[in-house]
Amino acid sequence: MDALPEGVVQHILSQLSNARDVARCAAVARCWRDCVPFLTSLYFPRGAFEALAGGPASAVAFADDAIGRMVDAAARLEELVVYCPFSASLLPHWLAARAATLRVLELRVESAADDKSGHLDSIGVATSLEELRLWALRMTRAPAWGQMERLRVLEVVGAVLEDAAVNGAVAACPNLTDLALLGCECAGEAVISLAHLERCRLDFVGSGNTSLRFAAPRVSSLEVQGFSLIYLQGGNRLKHLTISKNTGTVRRSLCVPPQKQILVRITLPDS
């Protein structure tokens, strides 16, 4: 490595993403400590700081410090993935610092940042985002994201949602091509109307009575789970449709003529 030109070394180090690997490199050689400004991706795995902190309680403080320093230094950051616990109050600062370059954001939110705090609204400042993935959050209202015109992929996993939050989040991302709401608890009516959507997976759990109004003329693959009442409109490009609900599954290919509406009602006996 010592014989390589500095630009080559910087390019090699810029391929790192795991925060643990970045820290190890900084400990190996003094000249490698300045690799963070060249990083385009940062990944903070779950439990990354518990061993250093001696336990989960102080691990959050270690994570906040490490994430903050690295995000501030990574001037070219395009992807930020945080699975370890962190203080949600710092999220607005991190996103504002890299709003111009950030393309991919993935956060395991858990109980650290529900919508009552308003910290998740700061996602809207990252207007260049193309992919957004959120894990284990709670949303009871529509997020104040504005219009995220560049967002193409939205994935929410293991969340507790109100129908207003689902509808508001989807409406804020009008150009989605991929939408996945997986293992989410929700009741009420979910309304999804997206002109560019191509692939959609909706997996709702719980005993709530949930209905779906779905309009996406370009969708080719649609998988829905856990809805009692489903309306499909348009969708003449639909090639794969899967509908299931707890104790029963229906699988078939369906092509829906444009400007027509199909009502799918699923009534299953109590288990």
Side-chain angles (χ1 to χ4, degrees):
M1 291 286 280
D2 292 339
L4 293 176
E6 183 178 353
V8 175
V9 175
Q10 291 174 353
H11 175 73
I12 293 173
L13 295 178
S14 71
Q15 305 306 304
L16 297 174
S17 61
N18 193 309
R20 291 171 175 169
D21 295 336
V22 174
R24 292 188 184 107
C25 281
V28 169
R30 181 175 298 177
C31 61
W32 291 4
R33 294 177 185 175
D34 298 327
C35 67
V36 177
F38 305 101
L39 299 178
T40 59
S41 176
L42 279 173
Y43 166 57
F44 297 87
R46 190 169 177 82
F49 301 98
E50 290 185 8
L52 296 174
S58 52
V60 174
F62 275 77
D64 291 344
D65 179 64
I67 296 171
R69 285 188 290 103
M70 289 189 183
V71 169
D72 284 341
R76 304 177 183 178
L77 190 63
E78 297 181 3
E79 180 179 14
L80 177 61
V81 179
V82 183
Y83 285 163
C84 63
F86 63 92
S87 297
S89 59
L90 297 176
L91 183 62
H93 170 76
W94 299 338
L95 296 180
R98 294 294 162 251
T101 60
L102 203 59
R103 301 288 181 270
V104 179
L105 177 64
E106 185 167 351
L107 301 173
R108 187 177 184 89
V109 181
E110 295 180 315
S111 60
D114 59 23
D115 59 347
K116 293 180 181 179
S117 67
H119 299 314
L120 290 178
D121 290 339
S122 63
I123 291 174
V125 306
T127 55
S128 296
L129 276 182
E130 298 173 3
E131 299 181 19
L132 174 61
R133 296 177 177 87
L134 301 172
W135 295 66
L137 74 157
R138 177 183 293 273
M139 291 179 67
T140 58
R141 60 172 177 81
W145 292 345
Q147 288 290 291
M148 304 190 72
E149 301 284 349
R150 297 187 180 183
L151 199 68
R152 297 295 182 268
V153 178
L154 175 62
E155 185 172 316
V156 180
V157 180
V160 179
L161 307 169
E162 296 289 341
D163 55 356
V166 174
N167 301 338
V170 171
C173 313
N175 297 318
L176 289 178
T177 59
D178 294 79
L179 173 64
L181 305 177
L182 306 176
C184 295
E185 294 184 30
C186 183
E189 182 177 67
V191 180
I192 296 174
S193 180
L194 294 167
H196 304 285
L197 191 66
E198 298 176 7
R199 291 162 293 274
C200 183
R201 292 181 297 158
L202 306 174
D203 177 15
F204 282 22
V205 299
S207 57
N209 229 0
T210 309
S211 62
L212 171 67
R213 291 185 178 271
F214 185 89
R218 296 187 181 183
V219 72
S220 61
S221 178
L222 174 61
E223 300 178 19
V224 294
Q225 153 76 26
F227 293 92
S228 300
L229 193 63
I230 303 172
Y231 294 89
L232 303 181
Q233 184 176 7
N236 61 331
R237 299 185 183 184
L238 190 61
K239 297 179 180 178
H240 174 72
L241 172 64
T242 300
I243 300 173
S244 59
K245 191 175 189 300
N246 292 337
T247 58
T249 300
V250 179
R251 298 178 184 272
R252 67 178 65 177
S253 296
L254 181 65
C255 184
V256 183
Q259 308 305 322
K260 291 190 177 180
Q261 193 175 67
I262 285 184
L263 168 62
V264 180
R265 186 184 298 272
I266 303 175
T267 304
L268 298 173
D270 295 334
S271 55

